[in-house]
């Protein structure tokens, strides 16, 4: 066995096994270049560096990353749509977008090199869990502004697997295709897969008898319990994939065949864990908020981006031999973002939509539940006494208007309950806007 090589290793995965000292050197060289590019081209970053009297040349080693200013989601919103881009528009070849905290989405841009890096990260993700040339990948992540669909698509193709770009939804057709095409790999949210399992049973299809053997599941929190249920019901092995639009998309971290937590592709994404209150750096093994620096991003440098995802970096080396550190399963966030059917959602988005419609009062509650593996979303809102005494037609009109307003900012169709003034429980402290009944 050659140094750093493992039998059966895909050539694209060589970086997974780089000796740590060498990995730190690669990270530092890339960090310096990214910081220089951001300093020269992104006004917000330069301003924050200048305020700290910091120059890119002040960075001497990778650990100096802690001197750099943080970036947060509202930076993207405040610079909507292209204010954080560090390259001329003619170099941008792709956009994606994700929910912001209000009506406007956050926008991310990619150069061709950014896309190539991302595809390689996704290719390494697939390779890490045992996908290879000859596999048939049913890609049921949404195609479009969401990064899941195209991210998984290009990664699987780059690996040499055959992709079925079926996208999300239309469950009966998914099951038919899975059966008829002989899909061996499925990519989707874990909750959607559970729904697929239930529907397949109703249709008399036993997924365990199909060639399907691997599931690449992410974009929302899930648990070891869910893994066991999925593996038993689907007759597959289920792997956790993590990522976020701001940093690239899926493929920031991925589990290997040991299923012991996603490995971060550290040569591309530098992880830190901080205390979300004090912002202090925490040691490996301690739980806190994940902060990521994209080490190679050209179009839109993301430096010390506060993901709001709560996790820990595992101190122990994985049995697979990768030198890449692993994150613990992400179960919660340090903000109020919800993930409903794989869609990111902030209560403030719903609030903004509700208040735009006349006849509503600023008292609402969002109830999230899960039925037959699918998330349900109900918005209860108080409406004025006048509206309630109106004709049935008037109420229905208001309901339709509210539905459209919420859909236009979130893309989701919630069920709506219009209730009388002072019906919803008032709280003495912070209003309890969200009731999440999902048992993961
Ligand atoms: O969800 C990218 C993705 C697509 C990841 C497909 C995996 C598979 P966003 O829409 O920007 O990007 O949402 C990112 O989703 O900050 C986490 O809170 C959550 N998330 C993503 N993966 C996981 C996971 C995509 N495996 C946000 N476990 C992140 C728990 C996850 N949460």
């Amino acid at each position: 066995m050659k140094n750093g090589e493992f039998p059966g290793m895909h050539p694209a995965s060589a970086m997974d096994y780089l000796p740590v000292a060498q990995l730190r050197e690669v990270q530092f060289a890339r960090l310096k270049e990214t910081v220089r590019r951001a300093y020269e081209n992104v006004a917000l970053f330069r301003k924050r560096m200048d305020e700290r009297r910091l120059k890119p040349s002040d960075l001497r080693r990778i650990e100096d990353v802690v001197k750099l200013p943080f970036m947060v989601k509202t930076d993207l919103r405040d610079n909507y749509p292209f204010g954080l881009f560090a390259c001329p528009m003619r170099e941008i070849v792709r956009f994606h977008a994700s929910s912001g905290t209000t009506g406007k989405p956050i926008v991310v841009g990619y150069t061709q090199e950014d896309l190539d890096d991302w595809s390689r990260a996704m290719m390494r993700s697939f390779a890490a869990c045992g996908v290879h040339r000859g596999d048939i990948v049913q890609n049921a992540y949404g195609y479009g502004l969401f990064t899941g669909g195209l991210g998984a698509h290009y990664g699987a193709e780059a690996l040499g697997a055959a992709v079925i770009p079926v996208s999300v939804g239309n469950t009966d057709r998914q099951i038919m295709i899975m059966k008829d095409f002989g899909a061996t790999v499925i990519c989707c949210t874990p909750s959607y897969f559970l729904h697929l399992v239930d529907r397949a049973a109703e249709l008399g299809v036993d997924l365990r008898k199909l060639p399907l053997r691997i599931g690449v599941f992410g974009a929302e929190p899930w648990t070891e319990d869910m893994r066991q249920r999925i593996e038993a019901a689907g007759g597959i092995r289920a792997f956790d994939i993590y990522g976020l639009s701001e940093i690239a998309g899926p493929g920031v971290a991925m589990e290997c065949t040991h299923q012991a937590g996603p490995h971060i592709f550290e040569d591309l994404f530098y992880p830190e864990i901080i205390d979300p209150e004090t912002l202090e750096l925490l040691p490996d093994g301690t739980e806190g908020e994940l902060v990521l620096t994209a080490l190679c991003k050209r179009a839109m440098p993301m430096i010390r981006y506060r993901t709001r995802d709560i996790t820990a970096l595992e101190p122990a080396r994985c049995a697979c031999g990768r030198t890449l550190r692993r994150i613990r399963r992400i179960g919660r966030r340090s903000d109020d973002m919800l993930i409903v059917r794989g869609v990111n959602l902030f209560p403030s988005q719903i609030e903004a939509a509700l208040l735009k419609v006349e006849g509503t009062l600023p008292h609402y509650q969002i109830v999230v539940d899960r039925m037959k593996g699918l998330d349900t979303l109900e918005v209860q809102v108080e409406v004025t006494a006048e509206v309630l005494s109106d004709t049935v037609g008037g109420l229905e009109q208001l309901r339709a208007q509210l539905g459209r307003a919420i859909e236009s900012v979130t893309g989701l169709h919630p069920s709506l309950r219009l209730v009388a003034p002072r019906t919803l429980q008032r709280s003495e402290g912070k209003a309890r806007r969200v009731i999440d009944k999902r048992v993961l």
Side-chain angles (χ1 to χ4, degrees):
M1 193 162 61
K2 274 193 272 169
N3 188 17
E5 235 177 64
F6 283 71
M9 182 179 86
H10 189 279
S13 302
M15 287 301 260
D16 295 11
Y17 302 92
L18 214 57
V20 173
Q22 230 172 304
L23 176 61
R24 298 286 172 259
E25 274 171 35
V26 170
Q27 289 172 324
F28 181 52
R30 292 178 171 179
L31 176 75
K32 263 197 319 201
E33 178 55 21
T34 299
V35 167
R36 187 197 56 75
R37 196 179 308 112
Y39 188 75
E40 285 170 9
N41 299 295
V42 183
L44 175 86
F45 185 71
R46 175 190 281 266
K47 181 169 154 274
R48 289 185 181 162
M49 290 284 279
D50 289 348
E51 279 165 7
R52 285 172 173 70
R53 299 188 195 293
L54 262 180
K55 291 269 178 287
S57 56
D58 293 332
L59 300 178
R60 299 280 146 72
R61 50 201 185 107
I62 188 68
E63 290 78 11
D64 289 342
V65 71
V66 298
K67 296 180 181 167
L68 298 170
F70 289 111
M71 295 180 81
V72 290
K73 211 186 253 290
T74 45
D75 292 338
L76 284 101
R77 185 192 67 192
D78 297 344
N79 292 280
Y80 174 86
F82 307 144
L84 296 179
F85 285 11
C87 68
M89 215 41 163
R90 63 173 185 279
E91 286 174 27
I92 303 283
V93 297
R94 174 93 66 81
F95 299 108
H96 280 286
S98 169
S99 303
T101 44
T102 56
K104 295 264 196 230
I106 56 155
V107 177
V108 292
Y110 304 74
T111 65
Q112 187 56 53
E113 282 172 295
D114 291 339
L115 288 184
D116 293 346
D117 282 340
W118 180 24
S119 287
R120 263 193 297 273
M122 270 313 294
M123 172 162 65
R124 287 161 72 182
S125 302
F126 282 122
C129 69
V131 180
H132 46 65
R133 186 177 284 273
D135 267 315
I136 298 179
V137 179
Q138 180 155 348
N139 186 11
Y141 282 123
Y143 280 66
L145 286 175
F146 178 54
T147 52
L150 289 174
H153 181 105
Y154 283 103
E157 276 190 0
L159 187 71
V163 183
I164 313 171
V166 58
S167 196
V168 70
N170 204 337
T171 309
D172 289 8
R173 193 179 57 154
Q174 298 270 0
I175 294 164
M176 179 189 77
I177 287 177
M178 183 180 285
K179 209 168 107 207
D180 295 350
F181 290 28
T184 53
V185 179
I186 175 95
C187 303
C188 62
T189 59
S191 59
Y192 186 66
F193 187 75
L194 280 175
H195 176 66
L196 230 142
V197 166
D198 284 349
R199 183 64 191 145
E202 280 169 15
L203 296 173
V205 177
D206 185 350
L207 296 187
R208 291 169 302 184
K209 300 215 170 102
L210 302 184
L212 198 67
R213 60 187 179 89
I214 288 176
V216 177
F217 301 124
E220 65 183 11
W222 56 307
T223 58
E224 276 310 306
D225 257 15
M226 266 174 90
R227 164 144 49 207
Q228 274 159 28
R229 274 166 55 200
I230 284 173
E231 293 194 335
I236 60 172
R237 292 190 74 198
F239 297 93
D240 192 10
I241 185 162
Y242 169 78
L244 61 164
S245 323
E246 294 90 322
I247 296 297
V252 171
M254 174 65 188
E255 276 187 328
C256 66
T257 50
H258 291 263
Q259 296 180 306
H263 289 273
I264 300 197
F265 294 108
E266 283 198 69
D267 50 305
L268 295 170
F269 315 109
Y270 185 78
E272 298 169 77
I273 299 287
I274 62 163
D275 178 322
E277 302 297 324
T278 64
L279 307 183
E280 181 197 347
L281 187 72
L282 299 173
D284 286 6
T286 309
E287 196 176 82
E289 180 183 327
L290 178 66
V291 171
L292 288 169
T293 297
L295 293 170
C296 291
K297 238 174 155 213
R298 290 154 195 91
M300 196 170 149
M302 280 287 132
I303 294 165
R304 302 200 86 201
Y305 181 68
R306 292 188 56 187
T307 65
R308 295 290 185 174
D309 290 318
I310 302 292
T311 181
L313 289 168
E314 288 296 349
R317 182 74 63 82
C318 180
C320 72
R322 281 180 176 74
T323 47
L324 306 171
R325 279 175 289 177
R326 289 163 296 146
I327 47 173
R328 255 178 230 161
R329 256 184 199 290
I330 290 164
R332 62 191 177 93
R333 295 179 48 92
S334 68
D335 64 5
D336 57 357
M337 188 177 96
L338 289 162
I339 305 183
V340 178
R341 297 197 176 191
V343 174
N344 301 350
L345 180 72
F346 289 92
S348 53
Q349 288 177 290
I350 301 241
E351 178 171 313
L354 291 177
L355 293 179
K356 269 195 217 135
V357 178
E358 209 167 319
T360 56
L361 296 168
H363 299 288
Y364 65 95
Q365 207 155 46
I366 298 166
V367 185
V368 191
D369 207 344
R370 184 164 284 172
M371 277 153 81
K372 287 194 169 179
L374 272 194
D375 293 338
T376 60
L377 176 67
E378 182 182 82
V379 177
Q380 304 170 350
V381 59
E382 290 185 7
V383 294
T384 58
E386 295 81 71
V387 168
L388 279 179
S389 60
D390 203 345
T391 56
V392 176
L395 262 181
E396 280 317 307
Q397 216 177 349
L398 178 66
R399 188 193 299 278
Q401 228 181 331
L402 284 170
R404 277 196 302 273
I406 295 174
E407 198 201 332
S408 76
V409 287
T410 65
L412 292 165
H413 312 263
S415 68
L416 280 162
R417 230 171 80 198
L418 311 186
V419 298
R422 310 208 62 77
T423 311
L424 297 178
Q425 203 184 354
R426 300 294 193 262
S427 130
E428 286 178 359
K430 282 186 199 225
R432 190 164 171 228
R433 299 297 193 197
V434 179
I435 300 178
D436 196 339
K437 298 183 179 165
R438 288 174 294 190
V439 189
L440 283 184

